[in-house]
Amino acid sequence: MKQKFYSGKNNIVLIAICLATLMFSLEISSVPVILPTLEKVLNANLKDMQWIMNIYTIGCTTVLMAAGTLADRYGRKRILIITLILFGISSLICGLAQNVTLLVISRFFQGISGGAMLICQVATLSHQFQEGKERSRAFSIWGIILGVGLGFGPIIGGAIIAILSWQWVFLIHVPIAILAIMLVYGYVDESKDADAKKIDIWGMITLSIAVFGLTYFITQGPDLGFTSPIALGILAITLISFVLFIWIEKTNPYPMFDFSVFKIRNFSGAIFGSVGMNFSFWPFIIYLPIYFQSYLNYDVVAVGLSLLAYTLPTLIIPPFAEYLSVRFRSGIVIPLGLFVIGLGFIAMKYGCSTEHASWISMLPGCLLAGIGLGLTNTPVTNTTTGSVSANRSGMASGIDMSARLITLSINIALMGYILVKGIFSYLNNAFSGVVDTKTLHTIAEKVAAGNFSTLKQDFPQLNTLDFSESILHAALAHGFEMVLLYGGIGVWILAVLSFILFNTGNHKAVRN
């Protein structure tokens, strides 16, 4: 009877954790679908949309490594409840925001609470489910829900905005958070670690400043001027912060990052897999809705459905990836997955440049990219934790997640910069000497955000030129071709580096 009671109690705990997981993953994959709408209703530009997405990942990165220590020291249940409360409040503010500034600020706090919430979920599951079979089942279900949130997020976001409004993409988390708080409070057992390490506060601060500084430099550089005193000052602060971070981690007795693990080739090869996934696949999901909505003129629901080809394979392929890892080892599967992602990006490049581009022309590339991500994700997670000793698995997992989020933040900014530059180069060739460079750059930013309708109103001089919407669409397509080329070639380079690290030198192959 006691065993049955605990089994029933743990099922409720699992429901609570899965609700928290669903909220976290939906905030990554459902928000990109509403960005074109936010651009219109909040008078946002491309940089604003980049920050709406980027600040969430920066917030996650800020607390990621400290959250585990906080949970161990002050109680995993207590910290999980606090993070759920903060996530619910910040989601409420996001939904009520009437301007971009408030939305970006609230998204930052949503990211902080979401990152801490994610770490607490894993810690809570590890403590609550300790028996082998039940533990395996719990983590499998948790992983499935995480995949469902990421995979179906685009269509869920599209459906919400079609039925209700964009605000409910954020507000929906408020009742979910309240329910999760009640279940966690009533059913989760409190647990602490008497030997919990001190929080590496200075490592956390210096890393956050470095990531934020580089992202800000890339995003705002075109406006500030990359060689202006302000921009160079930001870059200097970024570099100093990063050097300080490395020094702190090497001298701190309780570091967030133990750099000695990078001497393990399997670990380093897997980290290149982490970087590769977030170099191209996840940052591009921010911009793909702009292509579908602004270039192909799809409505929000059609955009969400079109994105399923990009995200669903990430949910379906992982079991096959695990089989391949056992059969051929991760040192083959991870570089293969990265190569397939790159192949998908090159296929999408040709798909968006065809004369009659549509979701069908983009379908092969989207599927390939999703399959590549599915092949890479699980082997990377298993290898980063499996290539180090058990007492360092938490730290290894934290480095893996940090590598993903940092790369994601930087490449959201880089892809936006490349998109604008690609559009600008096309317009500059078409109207060189007729429209000044500054005006063309401003137009390029508006086109990149999908804002075609007000261009001739904002720039009356265009009315005297042959500045048709077809030219703007061609410029947008050219920009996307540049982004896809960057993503494809970049992830291929990372695939080669990963393969070299895995398959040279004497090391023990990790089998998942």
Side-chain angles (χ1 to χ4, degrees):
M1 178 69 74
K2 187 176 181 181
Q3 178 65 33
K4 180 181 266 189
F5 169 75
Y6 275 105
S7 179
K9 177 182 177 181
N10 280 355
N11 284 337
I12 297 176
V13 171
L14 185 57
I15 291 171
I17 298 300
C18 285
L19 287 173
T21 303
L22 187 63
M23 289 191 295
F24 175 82
S25 56
L26 283 176
E27 278 307 288
I28 295 174
S29 61
S30 65
V31 174
V33 180
I34 70 169
L35 291 179
T37 302
L38 294 179
E39 184 268 331
K40 295 173 184 175
V41 298
L42 298 182
N43 295 317
N45 55 37
L46 182 67
K47 290 185 179 65
D48 294 330
M49 290 191 285
Q50 287 176 281
W51 281 114
I52 288 169
M53 287 304 304
N54 237 339
I55 204 69
Y56 183 80
T57 58
I58 292 173
C60 288
T61 306
T62 300
V63 298
L64 193 65
M65 299 300 291
T69 303
L70 283 171
D72 290 343
R73 173 171 290 190
Y74 297 106
R76 289 145 189 158
K77 174 180 177 178
R78 177 184 298 174
I79 300 300
L80 179 57
I81 290 175
I82 291 172
T83 59
L84 284 166
I85 292 171
L86 292 176
F87 194 87
I89 293 173
S90 57
S91 296
L92 176 63
I93 298 172
C94 284
L96 298 177
Q98 297 298 310
N99 58 72
V100 172
T101 302
L102 181 57
L103 181 56
V104 169
I105 292 172
S106 53
R107 281 281 287 173
F108 177 68
F109 287 102
Q110 198 183 37
I112 288 177
S113 53
M117 185 171 67
L118 180 67
I119 298 300
C120 289
Q121 291 168 31
V122 177
T124 301
L125 282 176
S126 295
H127 175 77
Q128 198 83 23
F129 298 89
Q130 297 186 4
E131 294 186 14
K133 189 174 181 180
E134 190 181 36
R135 181 184 179 89
S136 177
R137 170 180 167 270
F139 272 95
S140 295
I141 293 174
W142 176 79
I144 289 171
I145 297 301
L146 182 65
V148 167
L150 293 172
F152 287 93
I155 189 60
I156 292 172
I160 289 174
I161 195 172
I163 298 171
L164 298 168
S165 65
W166 69 265
Q167 288 93 338
W168 280 98
V169 172
F170 301 109
L171 294 177
I172 192 69
H173 299 305
V174 177
I176 296 176
I178 291 172
L179 177 58
I181 291 166
M182 293 169 60
L183 295 179
V184 170
Y185 180 80
Y187 294 93
V188 170
D189 297 329
E190 183 60 281
S191 61
K192 297 180 181 180
D193 182 0
D195 299 320
K197 297 178 180 179
K198 295 180 180 180
I199 298 174
D200 182 9
I201 185 69
W202 288 111
M204 186 173 70
I205 290 173
T206 51
L207 179 62
S208 299
I209 291 173
V211 175
F212 182 84
L214 182 56
T215 304
Y216 191 88
F217 177 78
I218 297 168
T219 305
Q220 305 299 137
D223 290 340
L224 297 173
F226 285 112
T227 57
S228 68
I230 295 176
L232 292 177
I234 293 169
L235 187 60
I237 292 171
T238 298
L239 292 174
I240 291 169
S241 297
F242 184 67
V243 171
L244 283 174
F245 168 73
I246 294 175
W247 178 76
I248 289 167
E249 298 310 291
K250 285 183 174 293
T251 57
N252 192 334
Y254 306 107
M256 292 193 304
F257 279 62
D258 181 356
F259 287 104
S260 66
V261 296
F262 287 100
K263 296 177 182 178
I264 303 170
R265 286 186 170 273
N266 281 328
F267 181 84
S268 296
I271 289 298
F272 270 108
S274 293
V275 171
M277 291 185 295
N278 294 277
F279 185 93
S280 53
F281 186 91
W282 287 119
F284 190 61
I285 200 175
I286 311 303
Y287 300 101
L288 197 49
I290 297 174
Y291 176 81
F292 283 127
Q293 196 161 351
S294 299
Y295 185 78
L296 299 180
N297 296 317
Y298 291 173
D299 62 28
V300 176
V301 175
V303 170
L305 288 169
S306 299
L307 284 174
L308 285 179
Y310 193 72
T311 57
L312 270 185
T314 67
L315 179 61
I316 298 169
I317 297 298
F320 180 61
E322 290 188 43
Y323 165 76
L324 289 179
S325 295
V326 173
R327 181 72 177 81
F328 299 105
R329 70 185 177 83
S330 296
I332 299 297
V333 178
I334 291 173
L336 173 64
L338 295 180
F339 176 79
V340 175
I341 292 174
L343 197 63
F345 268 65
I346 299 303
M348 280 190 283
K349 176 186 179 299
Y350 286 103
C352 77
S353 62
T354 58
E355 186 177 351
H356 301 290
S358 69
W359 71 272
I360 294 177
S361 66
M362 295 289 286
L363 181 62
C366 287
L367 287 173
L368 281 171
I371 290 169
L373 193 283
L375 286 172
T376 310
N377 191 29
T378 304
V380 162
T381 302
N382 290 343
T383 305
T384 52
T385 55
S387 58
V388 300
S389 57
N391 66 323
R392 302 169 90 190
S393 61
M395 179 272 304
S397 179
I399 292 177
D400 172 29
M401 190 61 69
S402 295
R404 298 179 190 222
L405 292 173
I406 291 169
T407 308
L408 177 61
S409 295
I410 293 170
N411 272 279
I412 288 175
L414 276 173
M415 282 190 172
Y417 175 76
I418 293 169
L419 178 61
V420 172
K421 282 298 178 185
I423 295 169
F424 170 78
S425 67
Y426 187 94
L427 295 177
N428 194 43
N429 288 334
F431 298 99
S432 179
V434 180
V435 182
D436 65 275
T437 300
K438 186 176 181 180
T439 299
L440 281 178
H441 198 276
T442 304
I443 293 170
E445 289 185 339
K446 287 183 174 289
V447 172
N451 186 354
F452 296 167
S453 57
T454 62
L455 276 178
K456 290 194 175 182
Q457 178 183 337
D458 296 337
F459 303 97
Q461 65 267 41
L462 300 182
N463 293 311
T464 61
L465 303 174
D466 184 21
F467 215 90
S468 65
E469 194 164 306
S470 61
I471 292 178
L472 300 178
H473 276 80
L476 182 61
H478 180 72
F480 269 98
E481 288 177 40
M482 298 292 290
V483 172
L484 288 163
L485 189 64
Y486 162 77
I489 293 176
V491 78
W492 275 346
I493 292 171
L494 291 166
V496 171
L497 293 174
S498 177
F499 182 82
I500 292 171
L501 280 170
F502 269 120
N503 296 285
T504 55
N506 296 320
H507 63 281
K508 183 179 178 181
V510 175
R511 292 182 180 273
N512 300 315

